[in-house]
Amino acid sequence: MNCRQARNLFSAYWDDEITQGEREWLESHFSSCAACRREYESLARTLEAVSDLPRVEVSSGFAERALAAAKRRSPAVDRMPGTVRRWVPVTATAVLLAIVAATVMQWSGMPLGPRHEGAVATLEQPVLIVPQPVKTEVPSPPKASAASTAPDAAWMAGAEGVSDSLFDHSEDVDFVLDSVTLRKGRAHTVVRLQPEPTRGEQAVITF
Amino acid sequence: MQTPLALDRDPTPVPIVRLSDEDLMGRVAEGDERAFTELVRRFQGRVTNLVSRVLNDREASDDLAQEVFVRVFVHRRNYRRGSKFSTWLFTIAANLAKNEIRRRVRRRNWFSLDALQEVLGDSSSHLADPTEGKEVSMQREQLQKTVGSAIASVPEKYRLALVLRDIEGFPYEEIGEMLNIPGGTVRSRINRARGILKRKLIPLLRKEAEQ
């Protein structure tokens, strides 16, 4: 063994966690190597200084304060492991149901809430972009149902030139598209060209 | 003559102060506040000392030590019956101290190497000049302050192992459990910490020895 190996044993020697053979070898090394002996003395002096540090005194009433603080925080314990936060699944289910209901209502054409025609009128003077009539082959006018009324027919005449969909649903359903006011590139408000029809066979798509 | 029924009973319940730490903790788990207070009294000194030496901040150590016991109470049901209470307690203390060190480092409101140099410089000049007329007790106090500051300047992962071993006197295996590291790692960390501390303190200690 050399000095490096000897110094690797210093800590264990201090802790008395060294084998008898290692102890005998190290002590014989100390007797012949002044540098290692000095080095170990330095370590021992340092660790003595550390272990000589006085114990910190605890302030009076510490235990009582700790108990009071622990009791204040104890309700949190009961929500820790072993118990379930019951409001989480309930809330999650309610939110999920609301989303599903809203989606179903939207796709089935049911209004999600009362429409306030007046509210549109009170909006700050929206810029109305009137779509230009497009000269396209519009399929034959939708078959008016028996329940259709005169104002509906007039409205259909006005909307006839408006391209309203990528798909042709004219055979089975009337499409009523509301115009959309564009401001800075996004839909701002809705301006209705006609009163909303209330027929069973008619779908209304709003943006 | 005693009846068998009388033998089954325990007419003199063991006083709370004579219960083991583990038995007390078992009672705390059932919500026994007296058992909790007794545990706090038994360990408040060691926990406060550990926190104080790791942080080198006497003012903050009271609050942090209190938080250790609050966590014990709050998480009392997580205590595994049969395991050593002190290991569990000091695991909590070590984790809280570690978090506090990191929080302080983040806030850059912690002991800096410059501050250590300043303290060491002050101590050296002070201790090197006995003609200043300072008393021996003041010198010792100054030395202790310097040693405390030097410990605080050891990197956190070595410091905790050092304090648990060289100040609190825990065995390596228990320190390994507290810090959740293998025994070999504990030994290497403690060796490393001792080496760092020796390099910082030995010039000062030699001067003191020469006087």
Side-chain angles (χ1 to χ4, degrees):
Chain A
M1 286 197 192
N2 54 25
C3 291
R4 187 176 173 184
Q5 289 169 312
R7 290 176 190 199
N8 283 339
L9 293 173
F10 281 1
S11 234
Y13 186 64
W14 172 263
D15 289 323
D16 204 14
E17 288 200 343
I18 199 169
T19 66
Q20 185 61 27
E22 287 170 332
R23 177 185 299 281
E24 287 171 6
W25 178 84
L26 189 59
E27 288 173 354
S28 71
H29 181 78
F30 283 152
S31 62
S32 61
C33 179
C36 280
R37 197 171 59 244
R38 269 200 310 276
E39 195 68 19
Y40 180 74
E41 282 169 2
S42 297
L43 177 68
R45 202 172 298 158
T46 301
L47 297 181
E48 278 167 8
V50 171
S51 58
D52 282 348
L53 286 173
R55 305 291 295 181
V56 173
E57 286 183 20
V58 180
S59 57
S60 61
F62 180 92
E64 288 72 24
R65 286 200 306 278
L67 176 62
K71 283 166 75 177
R72 278 198 301 275
R73 296 258 293 276
S74 60
V77 179
D78 300 324
R79 297 199 302 266
M80 294 304 288
T83 58
V84 180
R85 295 182 179 186
R86 291 190 180 121
W87 59 270
V88 174
V90 171
T91 308
T93 306
V95 169
L96 190 64
L97 283 173
I99 292 170
V100 169
T103 308
V104 168
M105 288 172 75
Q106 182 120 21
W107 282 102
S108 64
M110 293 172 67
L112 293 176
R115 291 174 184 269
H116 303 287
E117 299 294 339
V120 175
T122 59
L123 289 173
E124 181 189 347
Q125 297 299 318
V127 179
L128 177 64
I129 300 173
V130 179
Q132 296 299 318
V134 181
K135 293 179 179 175
T136 53
E137 284 287 328
V138 179
S140 58
K143 294 169 185 174
S145 66
S148 66
T149 56
D152 289 335
W155 178 81
M156 287 303 294
E160 193 174 356
V162 179
S163 175
D164 61 355
S165 174
L166 292 174
F167 305 101
D168 182 10
H169 298 284
S170 58
E171 290 299 321
D172 50 2
V173 66
D174 291 337
F175 273 79
V176 180
L177 292 183
D178 293 339
S179 297
V180 175
T181 300
L182 296 178
R183 183 173 291 171
K184 292 187 179 177
R186 67 185 182 91
H188 181 65
T189 187
V190 176
V191 176
R192 302 187 190 292
L193 295 174
Q194 292 289 330
E196 181 185 346
T198 53
R199 290 195 307 274
E201 291 180 18
Q202 191 175 54
V204 178
I205 298 176
T206 59
F207 295 93
Chain B
M1 186 176 170
Q2 287 182 312
T3 62
L5 186 62
L7 285 172
D8 289 342
R9 287 178 186 161
D10 186 3
T12 53
V14 181
I16 205 160
V17 290
R18 292 176 62 186
L19 288 173
S20 70
D21 302 336
E22 288 72 25
D23 287 342
L24 281 173
M25 191 56 217
R27 291 192 177 195
V28 173
E30 292 162 8
D32 187 336
E33 293 177 8
R34 283 181 61 234
F36 175 73
T37 308
E38 174 61 20
L39 273 180
V40 175
R41 289 209 176 98
R42 285 186 193 183
F43 286 94
Q44 60 188 6
R46 291 184 76 186
V47 169
T48 307
N49 199 55
L50 170 82
V51 171
S52 176
R53 291 302 172 202
V54 169
L55 297 180
N56 196 33
D57 184 345
R58 181 66 191 89
E59 301 301 316
S61 61
D62 246 24
D63 290 341
L64 200 60
Q66 182 176 296
E67 180 63 21
V68 171
F69 290 106
V70 168
R71 298 282 175 105
V72 166
F73 193 79
V74 166
H75 299 291
R76 59 190 183 270
R77 288 174 193 145
N78 293 352
Y79 171 71
R80 279 186 292 117
R81 297 211 175 207
S83 62
K84 196 170 179 185
F85 171 72
S86 62
T87 305
W88 187 62
L89 173 70
F90 281 90
T91 302
I92 295 171
N95 282 334
L96 281 175
K98 201 180 342 182
N99 292 344
E100 179 63 15
I101 292 168
R102 290 174 183 174
R103 192 183 68 83
R104 290 180 179 210
V105 167
R106 279 198 299 274
R107 289 176 56 195
R108 297 179 183 277
N109 186 24
W110 182 226
F111 190 84
S112 69
L113 193 59
D114 291 342
L116 174 65
Q117 298 288 355
E118 193 179 332
V119 172
L120 284 171
D122 286 352
S123 311
S124 303
S125 59
H126 168 63
L127 292 171
D129 185 9
T131 60
E132 281 184 31
K134 302 287 184 186
E135 295 181 9
V136 175
S137 62
M138 287 188 68
Q139 287 183 349
R140 182 173 296 131
E141 193 179 315
Q142 187 64 36
L143 175 68
Q144 287 167 349
K145 193 176 170 187
T146 307
V147 172
S149 300
I151 291 170
S153 71
V154 173
E156 167 222 309
K157 68 176 180 179
Y158 306 129
R159 193 191 320 164
L160 269 168
L162 177 88
V163 173
L164 286 167
R165 174 68 199 171
D166 288 329
I167 294 181
E168 295 305 323
F170 282 107
Y172 283 97
E173 289 67 30
E174 217 170 324
I175 296 171
E177 282 182 53
M178 290 171 189
L179 302 181
N180 198 24
I181 52 176
T185 309
V186 175
R187 281 176 172 78
S188 72
R189 285 190 185 182
I190 290 173
N191 286 349
R192 188 81 186 271
R194 287 172 173 174
I196 293 169
L197 208 54
K198 177 167 71 72
R199 281 195 295 278
K200 289 180 184 296
L201 290 178
I202 206 59
L204 177 64
L205 293 170
R206 278 190 183 138
K207 279 183 184 175
E208 190 204 29
E210 286 165 6
Q211 288 171 19

